[in-house]
Amino acid sequence: MKQLITIFCFVVAMLFMQQQAFAQPKNGFSYRASWYNYVNPNPDWSNWTDVYESSSGSGVELAYNRLIQSNTYLVVPVKFGLASYPKKSGGLGSKQVLLGNLDALLQYSIFKYGSAVNPLIHLGVGTTWDLNRHNWDFNIPVGLGLQIRMAENVYITAQSQYRFSIESRNGWHHSAGFNIYFGESGPKDRDKDGVTDNLDKCPDVPGLPSLMGCPDRDADGIGDADDKCPDVPGVAALAGCPDKDGDGITDADDACPDEKGVAAFNGCPDTDNDGIADKNDKCPKEAGPESNQGCPIRDRDGDGIEDKNDLCPSDKGPAATKGCPDRDGDLVADKDDACPDLKGSAALKGCPDKDGDGVIDPEDRCPDKAGPASNKGCPEIKKEDKAKVELAVKAVQFETGKDILLESSKKILDDVAGVLVKYPEYSLTISGHTDNVGDDKMNQVLSERRAKTVFDYLAAKGVTATRMTSAGYGETKPIADNSTKAGRDTNRRVEFDLFIK
């Protein structure tokens, strides 16, 4: 009993020992001696003699093992052996038959490959042949096992298996023997970082695949072995050391680590590139000699005005504009001149106003005639001239249902033509309208033709055609009630709209 307890304690201790990791082989070969029970498929479990001693079957087992995924093998065992069957008709003694088994099992290891002691479970399908009687039986084998490592790829193994039979010939198979594995499934990975040793530049230290298995403590993408600052994220150009201002000088060597500078001044800036560091330059944004503490000497543009008094020190200009250029000579510096190529007045930001109406020439539609800004610098039409145009809206008439002007309307249009000739800066829009009597489409066509008749008449009287447009709107824009004669008379009209483009 003491020996059994000692063996048990040894096995438990081995299970909890930390084991060396081995690469899992692809293939394996098993040899086991086997004992099995087909004589009593349904034994009396209360009688252990009935369970185990009633069967005298034994044989050998050869198996091929193939790794299909981690800790799982496909096992194909072949067994041959002799089994005893009771003689028929109650005769004494028994007869022996030759049995064969061919199975396909999935075998799973509880612990990682390489453990000193490793429990196994398996499940699969199989067949049993009675080679004497030439018949066979389909089985479902289920079992448990245990393997103990003797060397890196050599194991002693024992297992028990129960086989469920479609012919109610269930029975136990017990076996013991050894397994030999060979053909590793892949290269080893000693540091378990996912990079195999044959590719791992740091095979004994866990690292990153992107760095060929080498570590990167500060996660800056530069392996610790090549990183001069392995605990502080940095840049590859500086061997992994930081450079906050990005000037190519490591922070440890940078006299101005928060300002981008140059190596000549230990990382401090020289904004004006005059060879004097900004911290020692009284004019850090303007280049100047050291003799003048970095400030420019008097007159860079050579216009006779010292830089300190020159509003445009880099562009030559007269004293009247404090050293700034004035192309049009109107005493308004180009930088402040809204019309730098047209001589104007300071009051109008350097722009001209030939007609003196307060509207600068570039915006004045009538630069040679004075007019208010509300009229785009053009003169307003006199009241008596406006009246002639307004009369035309009411008085221009046509023959009924036609686009032929009445003689009385021609005199009125002559006056409108005179107004347009008098005010050449104005353009004219002519709009024809009808009442709602008659067909809609016919009214639309009639309004267009009447507007065009007026257009042609005015053009014949000397009004430039490009100053005029005509359009018809039929009965769509009434200005009076079409249910009365007076309203319909009012709606039958030609409108004139004078405007400045």
Side-chain angles (χ1 to χ4, degrees), residues 129-210:
W129 286 281
D130 183 336
L131 299 181
N132 293 77
R133 292 185 292 179
H134 304 292
N135 60 16
W136 68 280
D137 184 18
F138 177 76
N139 315 136
I140 298 177
V142 179
L144 300 173
L146 187 70
Q147 61 181 16
I148 300 172
R149 181 167 58 84
M150 304 304 294
E152 181 174 348
N153 291 318
V154 179
Y155 293 80
I156 292 176
T157 179
Q159 68 180 31
S160 288
Q161 177 188 93
Y162 192 76
R163 302 176 71 88
F164 296 91
S165 166
I166 62 172
E167 293 187 358
S168 299
R169 296 170 59 195
N170 304 334
W172 287 94
H173 277 207
H174 309 291
S175 60
F178 60 87
N179 292 345
I180 297 175
Y181 294 97
F182 55 93
E184 290 187 356
S185 59
K188 292 183 179 180
D189 180 13
R190 293 201 298 273
D191 55 16
K192 302 302 178 187
D193 60 1
V195 182
T196 56
D197 292 349
N198 62 325
L199 300 176
D200 199 329
K201 290 186 177 180
C202 304
D204 297 305
V205 183
L208 303 173
S210 59

Side-chain angles (χ1 to χ4, degrees), residues 33 112 400 426:
K112 288 184 178 180
T400 303
Y426 283 82

Side-chain angles (χ1 to χ4, degrees), residues 35-55:
W35 300 266
Y36 42 84
N37 170 18
Y38 276 111
V39 176
N40 188 5
N42 296 298
D44 179 1
W45 292 97
S46 64
N47 184 346
W48 290 102
T49 301
D50 184 43
V51 174
Y52 289 106
E53 295 183 0
S54 61
S55 174

Side-chain angles (χ1 to χ4, degrees), residues 348 352-361 363-379:
L348 296 175
D353 178 17
K354 287 189 292 186
D355 55 16
D357 58 4
V359 181
I360 60 175
D361 290 351
E363 298 175 2
D364 196 332
R365 301 305 171 94
C366 303
D368 298 311
K369 296 180 183 179
S374 59
N375 208 38
K376 299 181 181 180
C378 290

Side-chain angles (χ1 to χ4, degrees), residues 419-436:
V419 171
L420 288 169
V421 171
K422 184 177 180 181
Y423 300 93
E425 59 274 8
Y426 283 82
S427 296
L428 177 67
T429 298
I430 305 166
S431 305
H433 302 271
T434 68
D435 58 24
N436 67 347

Side-chain angles (χ1 to χ4, degrees), residues 337-407:
D337 198 330
C339 304
D341 296 306
L342 298 173
K343 191 171 184 176
S345 64
L348 296 175
K349 295 183 178 180
C351 289
D353 178 17
K354 287 189 292 186
D355 55 16
D357 58 4
V359 181
I360 60 175
D361 290 351
E363 298 175 2
D364 196 332
R365 301 305 171 94
C366 303
D368 298 311
K369 296 180 183 179
S374 59
N375 208 38
K376 299 181 181 180
C378 290
E380 294 183 328
I381 299 176
K382 294 180 179 179
K383 290 183 179 180
E384 56 268 26
D385 292 327
K386 282 186 179 179
K388 292 177 182 178
V389 177
E390 292 170 357
L391 175 63
V393 175
K394 299 177 181 179
V396 170
Q397 296 181 353
F398 297 86
E399 292 184 13
T400 303
K402 298 180 181 180
D403 60 349
I404 299 173
L405 286 165
L406 296 179
E407 286 299 321

